[in-house]
């Protein structure tokens, strides 16, 4: 369609501004959808960047755009945790008592050897005792190594410490050993073993410190001889060793565990990194760099490209559904603009909730995500509402995501998807505004159940049930908030864009509406006729995919203009004389034609929406008032005959001015929509069939098809895109409806035929 469409109907010219159907405007509106998506999601997908340099003053306060790990602080914390780890020591069971036993046995054996002199015995002690010490512990260390009882590093640590703290007999005590008798040895041995076991029962790191306690222990024993006490002390000192050793590997494991268990330190979302006026240190600059907040870098190019691609993907899906919509939005830019406005309102409200989400992440469930879905389902199309639900839920999972390592948060996406589809299901059954609140309650319940379901799946033990209950409360409240917003915004869209929602149509169909009450009281016949036309047109419109409810309500108001002069219309005469019998055809014509204009004026005064006014104006199209036209022709012929008879001049009679057919046609316009065309057909069909006394099935079918054919031949459907197939469907639908309405009066094949009255013939020809 061009930028300006001009149609000529009779003497009138109708122009339609071209922006509503301009392809350029449509392309701009579609592009605005992509821009709306982009700028709505940009903050959540693309982090802001700043033009800053180290060791310069920051011109603005820079906040963390997300919860991100502070790697420097985390590394420092881990190093501190490692530093605080104390060296790990391992207590090892040493063979001290066994060494004491072997020592006494060896002393007894050497002392019993009479073949050795004292010097020789001392020499043996000087070499043999250290050898026994090494032999005892090397055997033990070797066994531990072979059995992997301890790590090699620990075994080496034990060996080193043993030899570092090994005790050596005093030279003078070595000369006393050969003088010990067997009896003395027997007295000394249990005392020595007992004291060694007691002293080695505690962890020993420094054997020398423990050896200082030996005299006290020995003096408290049963030994009485100074010689035996002194030598027992030496033997005990010799046998004492460390039993607690530094374990390097265990210490390393402890340090690694401390480092591993140190919790990462995060910059929380919204936390100040650099304040305005503060000098940016190298450390701060590095943090900003880690967060990709430094400008003049390529780190934001790919996210921008990806987001743009995602937005055009959203737009492509939406455009596909718009093109395949059965409603006028597929070509009417006015409705496309309304769709954009609905998206904008819904996304703005979601963005507002994201601000409050910083206080509590579960506040996102309070967002009226289903608001747009409900408005689209009520004002435009169910199919558009479905794709919009998918888009809104996807964007909700981006806007409300709490998982920092993921772009989408399925918690909010899932709940939004469920409540959106529930909204579509509930809205399809809405017949009055109070039902929107009931739909809101259903959405609240489903939303709360969805949140509970997710909580049960992820946290079966319900350890944080307080948070779950709060999220459920937010979700439940969100449904009510959605319904309130829908009720508040519906009148705005209906008034601004001239939209007739099902709710508005149901309200207008209320018999208590002032205009319908006026019609009922002042023109009851017209009221009954309008109701019947509503039944016929609604069924026919639904059969061809048009708006049946609009046809029904439009039918109620299509003849409201007849209330100005109700007695001049045959359905209101009720056995009274027809005033048209005494009126000139031109006067009757003017009265009849005026009812369409009068109806439009009355509907305008009552602020009835334009689609209904259009039906009242267009339902007759430019059809001919055949009855009065033929009556006028007959009067002209009679007048011409009287002139010819009185004057005897045939030429004078022939010169009588002819009556143009256009003077007896309705001014139009012709039906611009299928709904107006259907109501026009139903209007004529109902009047014609109602005038038949006992119609047959064949008569009903013939009348319906004849009226449709007459209008088709008269080009009444040329401006409403009505197809022949749809006209055939309309004929069948109206026939079936009429057979149901007039079932008791209709004679079926085989019954006696019944004639029709004169009024019926006149009604079929288009009389009022």
């Amino acid at each position: 369609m061009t930028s300006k469409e001009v149609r000529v109907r009779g003497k009138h010219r109708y122009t339609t501004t071209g922006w509503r159907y301009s392809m350029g405007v449509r392309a701009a509106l579609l592009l605005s959808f992509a821009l709306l998506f982009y700028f709505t999601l940009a903050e959540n997908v693309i982090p802001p960047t700043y033009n800053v340099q180290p060791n310069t003053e920051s011109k603005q306060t820079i906040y963390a755009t997300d919860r991100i790990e502070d790697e420097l602080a985390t590394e420092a914390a881990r190093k501190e945790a490692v530093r605080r780890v104390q060296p790990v020591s391992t207590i090892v069971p040493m063979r001290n008592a066994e060494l004491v036993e072997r020592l006494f046995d060896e002393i007894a054996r050497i002392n019993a050897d009479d073949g050795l002199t004292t010097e020789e015995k001392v020499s043996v002690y000087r070499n043999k005792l250290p050898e026994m010490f090494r032999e005892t512990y090397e055997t033990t260390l070797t066994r531990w190594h072979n059995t992997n009882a301890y790590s090699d590093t620990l075994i080496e640590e034990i060996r080193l410490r043993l030899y570092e703290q090994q005790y050596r007999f005093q030279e003078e005590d070595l000369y006393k050993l050969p003088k010990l008798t067997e009896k003395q040895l027997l007295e000394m041995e249990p005392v020595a073993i007992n004291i060694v076991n007691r002293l080695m029962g505690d962890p020993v790191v420094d054997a020398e410190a423990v050896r200082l306690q030996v005299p006290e222990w020995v003096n408290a024993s049963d030994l009485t001889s100074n010689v035996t006490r002194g030598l027992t002390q030496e033997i005990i000192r010799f046998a004492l060793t460390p039993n607690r050793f530094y374990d390097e590997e265990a210490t390393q494991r402890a340090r690694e565990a401390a480092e591993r268990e140190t919790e990462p330190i995060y910059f929380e979302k919204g936390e100040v990194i650099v304040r305005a006026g503060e000098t940016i240190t190298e450390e701060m600059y590095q943090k900003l760099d880690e967060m990709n907040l430094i400008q003049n870098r390529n780190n934001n190019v790919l996210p921008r490209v990806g987001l743009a691609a995602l937005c055009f993907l959203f737009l492509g899906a939406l455009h596909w559904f718009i093109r395949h919509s059965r409603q006028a939005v597929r070509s009417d830019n006015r409705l496309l603009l309304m769709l954009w406005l609905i998206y904008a309102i819904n996304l703005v409200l979601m963005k507002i909730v994201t601000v409050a989400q910083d206080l509590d992440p579960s506040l996102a469930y309070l967002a009226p995500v289903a608001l747009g879905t409900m408005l689209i389902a009520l004002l435009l199309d169910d199919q558009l509402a479905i794709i919009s639900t998918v888009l809104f839920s996807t964007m909700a999972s981006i806007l409300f995501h709490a998982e920092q390592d993921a772009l989408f948060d399925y918690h909010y996406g899932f709940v939004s998807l469920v409540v959106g589809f529930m909204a579509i299901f509930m809205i399809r059954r809405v017949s009055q505004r109070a039902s929107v609140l009931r739909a809101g309650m259903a959405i609240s319940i489903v939303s709360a159940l969805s949140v509970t379901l997710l909580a049960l799946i992820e946290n079966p033990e319900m350890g944080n049930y307080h948070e779950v209950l709060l999220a459920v409360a937010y979700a439940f409240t969100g449904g009510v908030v959605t319904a309130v917003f829908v009720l508040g915004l519906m009148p705005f869209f209906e008034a601004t864009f001239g939209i007739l929602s099902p709710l508005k149509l149901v309200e207008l169909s209320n018999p208590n509406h002032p205009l319908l009450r006026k019609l009922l009281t002042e023109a009851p016949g017209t009221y009954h006729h309008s109701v019947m036309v509503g039944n016929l047109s609604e069924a026919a419109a639904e059969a061809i995919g048009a708006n049946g409810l609009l046809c029904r309500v439009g039918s109620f108001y299509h003849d409201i203009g007849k209330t100005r002069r109700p007695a001049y219309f045959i359905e209101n005469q009720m056995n009274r004389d027809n005033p048209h019998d005494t009126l000139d055809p031109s006067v009757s014509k003017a009265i009849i034609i005026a009812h369409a204009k009068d109806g439009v004026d009355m509907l305008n005064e009552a602020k009835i929406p334009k689609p209904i006014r259009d039906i009242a104006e267009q339902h007759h199209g430019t059809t001919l008032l055949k009855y009065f036209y033929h009556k006028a022709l007959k009067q002209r012929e009679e007048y011409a005959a009287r002139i010819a008879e009185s004057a005897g001049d045939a030429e004078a009679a022939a010169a009588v001015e002819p009556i143009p057919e256009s003077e007896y046609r309705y001014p139009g316009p012709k039906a611009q929509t299928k709904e107006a065309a259907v109501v026009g057909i139903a209007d004529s069909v109902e009047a014609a069939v109602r005038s038949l006394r006992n119609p047959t099935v064949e008569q009903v079918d013939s009348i319906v098809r004849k009226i449709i054919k007459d209008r088709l031949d008269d080009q009444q459907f040329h401006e409403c895109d009505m197809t022949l197939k749809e006209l055939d469907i309309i004929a069948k639908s109206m026939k079936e409806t009429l057979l149901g309405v007039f079932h008791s009066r209709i004679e079926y094949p085989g019954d006696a035929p019944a004639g029709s009255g004169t009024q019926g013939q006149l009604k079929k020809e288009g009389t009022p």
Side-chain angles (χ1 to χ4, degrees):
M1 188 171 291
T2 60
S3 62
K4 195 169 188 180
E5 178 185 9
V6 180
R7 297 191 179 99
V8 179
R9 302 184 182 94
K11 298 179 181 179
H12 302 275
R13 295 171 65 86
Y14 295 87
T15 63
T16 302
T17 53
W19 78 270
R20 287 181 56 180
Y21 303 98
S22 168
M23 293 302 295
V25 173
R26 192 165 193 81
L29 283 173
L30 289 173
L31 180 61
S32 68
F33 274 97
L35 294 176
L36 175 64
F37 299 154
Y38 185 90
F39 288 110
T40 300
L41 302 175
E43 184 180 355
N44 296 79
V45 177
I46 304 170
T49 57
Y50 303 90
N51 185 14
V52 295
Q53 296 297 330
N55 302 317
T56 60
E57 186 178 290
S58 177
K59 298 179 181 179
Q60 54 191 321
T61 300
I62 302 177
Y63 300 90
T65 56
D66 217 334
R67 186 173 185 262
I68 188 170
E69 183 180 347
D70 184 350
E71 295 183 0
L72 293 177
T74 301
E75 183 64 24
R78 287 172 178 168
K79 288 181 179 179
E80 179 62 19
V82 170
R83 188 187 66 80
R84 292 180 179 179
V85 172
Q86 298 296 322
V88 177
S89 298
T90 300
I91 298 177
V92 177
M94 305 303 291
R95 300 172 61 186
N96 307 86
E98 179 183 344
L99 178 60
V100 172
E101 291 177 357
R102 292 187 61 192
L103 188 59
F104 275 98
D105 291 342
E106 188 66 18
I107 293 173
R109 185 184 66 77
I110 294 173
N111 287 351
D113 190 353
D114 295 334
L116 297 175
T117 64
T118 300
E119 286 294 335
E120 290 175 339
K121 290 180 180 179
V122 170
S123 178
V124 171
Y125 289 139
R126 187 180 292 114
N127 297 317
K128 186 65 176 178
L129 296 183
E131 183 181 335
M132 289 177 59
F133 182 92
R134 287 193 299 273
E135 182 181 316
T136 300
Y137 289 112
E138 285 295 334
T139 303
T140 303
L141 294 174
T142 301
R143 185 175 72 251
W144 286 344
H145 172 75
N146 293 334
T147 59
N148 294 320
Y150 301 102
S151 65
D152 290 344
T153 55
L154 179 59
I155 291 174
E156 288 302 318
E157 175 69 15
I158 295 172
R159 177 180 286 111
L160 178 63
R161 295 278 302 284
L162 282 176
Y163 296 141
E164 281 182 352
Q165 300 186 30
Q166 180 180 356
Y167 185 80
R168 289 172 175 77
F169 274 85
Q170 298 295 323
E171 189 67 21
E172 59 185 32
D173 291 327
L174 290 177
Y175 281 93
K176 294 178 182 178
L177 288 176
K179 298 176 182 180
L180 290 174
T181 64
E182 183 178 353
K183 180 180 179 182
Q184 289 175 320
L185 290 174
L186 291 176
E187 290 177 352
M188 293 165 57
E189 183 176 359
V191 173
I193 292 175
N194 181 52
I195 293 175
V196 167
N197 286 334
R198 286 174 175 269
L199 292 175
M200 295 299 297
D202 295 325
V204 178
V205 177
D206 185 3
E208 193 60 37
V210 178
R211 288 171 184 144
L212 296 176
Q213 305 175 28
V214 172
E216 181 181 354
W217 283 88
V218 173
N219 292 336
S221 68
D222 296 335
L223 297 177
T224 57
S225 170
N226 290 332
V227 174
T228 56
R229 285 183 178 180
L231 291 175
T232 301
Q233 292 179 19
E234 284 297 295
I235 292 172
I236 293 173
R237 292 189 185 99
F238 179 78
L240 290 176
T241 62
N243 64 1
R244 182 176 180 177
F245 303 94
Y246 168 71
D247 192 337
E248 183 178 351
E249 290 192 6
T251 302
Q252 184 61 31
R253 287 195 299 270
R255 289 170 178 168
E256 292 174 356
E259 183 178 12
R260 186 172 55 252
E261 294 171 2
T262 301
E263 294 292 334
I265 298 175
Y266 290 95
F267 280 105
E268 298 297 335
K269 183 178 181 181
E271 184 178 345
V272 175
I273 303 176
V274 181
R275 297 187 182 277
E278 186 177 358
T279 300
I280 300 174
T281 63
E282 291 288 349
E283 182 181 359
M284 291 178 180
Y285 187 84
Q286 186 175 352
K287 291 176 182 177
L288 295 175
D289 192 19
E290 291 173 0
M291 294 184 184
N292 294 323
L293 296 178
I294 303 299
Q295 209 174 67
N296 300 324
R297 293 179 179 268
N298 296 325
N299 47 17
N300 282 343
V301 173
L302 291 180
R304 291 180 188 277
V305 173
L307 177 59
L310 180 64
C311 292
F312 278 103
L313 178 64
F314 289 167
L315 176 60
L318 180 62
H319 184 234
W320 191 92
F321 275 81
I322 291 174
R323 287 190 59 188
H324 292 80
S325 172
R326 295 172 296 177
Q327 305 302 322
V329 68
R330 68 180 182 271
S331 58
D332 192 340
N333 292 335
R334 175 177 57 92
L335 298 182
L336 187 61
L337 176 61
M338 183 181 71
L339 179 63
W340 184 91
L341 190 57
I342 291 174
Y343 266 79
I345 292 173
N346 202 70
L347 293 177
V348 167
L349 290 175
M350 290 167 65
K351 287 291 288 183
I352 292 174
V353 174
T354 60
V355 176
Q357 195 183 11
D358 292 337
L359 303 176
D360 184 356
S362 58
L363 267 170
Y365 294 118
L366 190 60
V369 181
L371 168 64
T373 297
M374 293 178 72
L375 288 174
I376 293 170
L378 285 169
L379 300 172
L380 291 172
D381 185 20
D382 288 348
Q383 299 299 319
L384 275 179
I386 291 175
I387 185 59
S388 297
T389 295
V390 175
L391 295 182
F392 286 140
S393 62
T394 304
M395 286 186 275
S397 67
I398 296 175
L399 291 173
F400 301 135
H401 74 96
E403 299 294 335
Q404 304 305 318
D405 57 347
L407 177 61
F408 300 94
D409 191 326
Y410 75 90
H411 298 85
Y412 304 107
F414 172 75
V415 174
S416 301
L417 191 68
V418 170
V419 299
F421 283 123
M422 186 64 184
I424 296 173
F425 175 77
M426 294 300 299
I427 284 298
R428 295 182 68 179
R429 301 184 176 185
V430 168
S431 59
Q432 52 186 332
R433 296 194 187 273
S435 300
V436 175
L437 288 177
R438 287 195 289 271
M441 290 301 299
I443 293 171
S444 295
I445 294 172
V446 170
S447 180
L449 289 176
S450 300
V451 174
T452 305
L453 175 64
L454 291 176
L456 291 175
I457 292 175
E458 293 192 327
N459 188 15
E461 298 180 0
M462 297 293 285
N464 55 343
Y465 67 93
H466 291 293
E467 296 179 6
V468 174
L469 290 177
L470 190 59
V472 169
Y474 286 144
F476 187 88
T477 307
V480 178
V481 171
T482 300
V484 172
F485 271 110
V486 170
L487 290 175
L489 290 171
M490 280 285 292
F492 165 76
F493 286 109
E494 291 171 345
T496 304
F497 295 94
I499 299 297
L500 262 180
S501 67
L503 296 178
K504 184 67 175 178
L505 287 171
V506 171
E507 289 179 359
L508 291 173
S509 68
N510 190 336
N512 290 321
H513 191 281
L515 286 182
L516 294 183
R517 289 183 63 84
K518 179 181 178 67
L519 183 65
L520 176 61
T521 56
E522 298 181 11
T526 301
Y527 179 85
H528 181 265
H529 160 72
S530 299
V531 172
M532 297 300 295
V533 172
N535 293 334
L536 287 172
S537 61
E538 182 178 30
E542 290 179 349
I544 63 171
N547 191 335
L549 185 57
L550 174 59
C551 286
R552 181 180 186 85
V553 179
S555 299
F556 292 169
Y557 291 90
H558 81 291
D559 277 343
I560 195 69
K562 291 182 178 180
T563 57
R564 293 275 177 91
R565 304 171 191 86
Y568 287 88
F569 298 90
I570 194 168
E571 67 266 20
N572 298 316
Q573 291 169 4
M574 299 180 182
N575 299 321
R576 292 182 296 181
D577 293 336
N578 190 340
H580 293 287
D581 293 341
T582 60
L583 293 177
D584 186 80
S586 61
V587 176
S588 296
K589 176 260 301 184
I591 293 174
I592 299 304
I593 288 178
H595 89 274
K597 180 180 181 302
D598 292 340
V600 174
D601 292 341
M602 294 175 65
L603 294 174
N604 263 323
E605 292 175 4
K607 301 187 184 306
I608 299 300
K610 189 176 184 299
I612 294 179
R613 300 200 308 267
D614 290 342
I615 289 176
E617 184 181 23
Q618 301 168 12
H619 74 280
H620 281 298
T622 59
T623 55
L624 177 66
L625 290 168
K626 293 182 180 179
Y627 177 76
F628 295 112
Y629 178 62
H630 291 303
K631 184 178 179 181
L633 289 178
K634 184 177 180 182
Q635 286 184 356
R636 177 186 176 280
E637 292 172 358
E638 291 175 351
Y639 176 67
R642 287 197 300 272
I643 290 177
E645 183 179 350
S646 61
D649 187 354
E651 292 183 1
V656 176
E657 185 178 352
I659 302 175
E661 186 180 280
S662 60
E663 290 187 2
Y664 283 83
R665 283 186 177 273
Y666 281 93
K670 294 178 182 178
Q672 303 297 298
T673 62
K674 293 181 180 180
E675 288 79 8
V678 170
V679 172
I681 296 171
D683 181 45
S684 297
V685 167
E686 196 281 332
V689 174
R690 178 167 46 85
S691 65
L692 300 178
R693 292 180 180 176
N694 294 298
T696 64
V697 175
E698 291 80 5
Q699 283 179 320
V700 171
D701 185 64
S702 175
I703 288 173
V704 173
R705 295 189 179 277
K706 182 179 185 304
I707 289 173
I708 293 177
K709 184 177 185 303
D710 288 347
R711 286 191 168 234
L712 181 63
D713 294 341
D714 200 23
Q715 299 184 358
Q716 297 301 313
F717 305 131
H718 278 35
E719 297 177 8
C720 62
D721 300 327
M722 189 77 78
T723 66
L724 292 176
K725 181 179 180 181
E726 288 173 333
L727 290 174
D728 183 62
I729 294 173
I730 290 171
K732 292 178 181 178
S733 173
M734 289 190 177
K735 174 186 172 183
E736 292 173 359
T737 304
L738 288 168
L739 293 179
V741 172
F742 298 108
H743 178 78
S744 60
R745 291 177 48 199
I746 292 178
E747 295 182 359
Y748 290 86
D751 295 341
S756 60
T758 304
Q759 287 184 342
Q761 290 295 325
L762 297 179
K763 290 297 291 183
K764 286 189 290 181
E765 292 175 356
T767 57

